Amino acid sequence: MKTVLVFGATGTTGQQIVRECLQAGHSVTAVSRRAAYPVEHPHLKVHVAQNLDAASVQAALPGHEVVVSAVGNRDYSDPMMVVFPLAQHIFTGLGADNPVRVLIIAGMGLLQYDATRMYKDLSSGSGGVAYPRADHFAAYQFVREQPNDWTIVCPPEIVPQDADGNYAVTADYFPVGMRAVISAGNIGHFVAHEVERAEFIRKRVGIGSRA
């Protein structure tokens, strides 16, 4: 069992991460702007914090072995970054010699399309996802330079469904033959198992649904 801190715990994906981590036997702290949380569990605590306030974020870190960031700006027309600044607050708060692992939910744009290009570099990746992709890439550029252990999960389209385990993952690339859609539940399922197994240290992870 691991002690897991989840930022973005009230969102669609964040709630599934909390749920799957609890089902896997982990002890979870859900970070929320409010003390109330839609789930009660003997191994669940709620910590009230503001994701973009450095002092608030860093006060939540002690006592946890794994930190998960599942935040995102839901308004794709808004250029405000949220994934990158939260990552900065987390790693700054941890310090260089801290063994705590960090898992970040970002987007498929961070995966390699081929040896020289990422999905974000393709012309088809412009338009409505430009701002979140910029946020994700800024976070990736920052995180990969940190000495701490990290994993960045890079899902395609996320749908609000529970886990069924019918998915595949690949390091740094999107898994061949998989559908470019994934349920929030299966992201949670992967995160819960990666918390325990630590198979993708300092890797981006492509995840997709089986056909």
Side-chain angles (χ1 to χ4, degrees):
M1 181 184 77
K2 301 290 185 181
T3 53
V4 184
L5 179 67
V6 181
F7 289 94
T10 58
T12 300
T13 301
Q15 288 189 47
Q16 290 283 359
I17 291 171
V18 170
R19 175 181 179 177
E20 293 294 326
C21 282
L22 289 171
Q23 288 185 353
H26 303 305
S27 177
V28 179
T29 301
V31 178
S32 172
R33 286 176 293 182
R34 302 174 184 84
Y37 193 74
V39 174
E40 293 185 0
H41 190 282
H43 293 150
L44 174 66
K45 297 186 296 183
V46 178
H47 182 93
V48 178
Q50 301 295 323
N51 293 334
L52 298 184
D53 180 79
S56 182
V57 168
Q58 291 162 11
L61 298 176
H64 299 93
E65 297 167 282
V66 181
V67 177
V68 180
S69 166
V71 303
N73 191 336
R74 299 178 185 178
D75 182 358
Y76 283 12
S77 67
D78 181 359
M80 185 179 73
M81 293 186 175
V82 292
V83 180
F84 174 39
L86 177 58
Q88 289 180 303
H89 298 334
I90 291 171
F91 282 97
T92 300
L94 291 177
D97 298 324
N98 199 315
V100 171
R101 293 178 55 217
V102 180
L103 280 77
I104 297 174
I105 312 301
M108 185 176 169
L110 293 183
L111 297 174
Q112 295 299 128
Y113 177 75
D114 55 29
T116 60
R117 293 177 295 173
M118 301 169 78
Y119 274 93
K120 75 172 187 64
D121 300 323
L122 305 181
S123 58
S124 59
S126 59
V129 296
Y131 289 141
R133 283 194 172 179
D135 188 13
H136 297 162
F137 186 60
Y140 171 59
Q141 287 183 301
F142 171 77
V143 168
R144 68 182 180 180
E145 299 301 324
Q146 305 309 306
N148 316 74
D149 285 343
W150 55 265
T151 301
I152 300 181
V153 185
C154 306
E157 178 186 358
I158 301 172
V159 294
Q161 297 173 356
D162 292 340
D164 62 8
N166 195 27
Y167 66 92
V169 294
T170 303
D172 298 328
Y173 288 82
F174 188 75
V176 175
M178 297 299 107
R179 296 169 55 222
V181 63
I182 190 73
S183 70
N186 279 338
I187 295 174
H189 184 271
F190 169 74
V191 168
H193 285 77
E194 179 62 17
V195 162
E196 185 65 36
R197 298 173 183 173
E199 294 177 337
F200 293 89
I201 298 297
R202 303 187 69 83
K203 296 289 186 181
R204 293 159 288 163
V205 179
I207 182 169
S209 299
R210 298 186 186 277

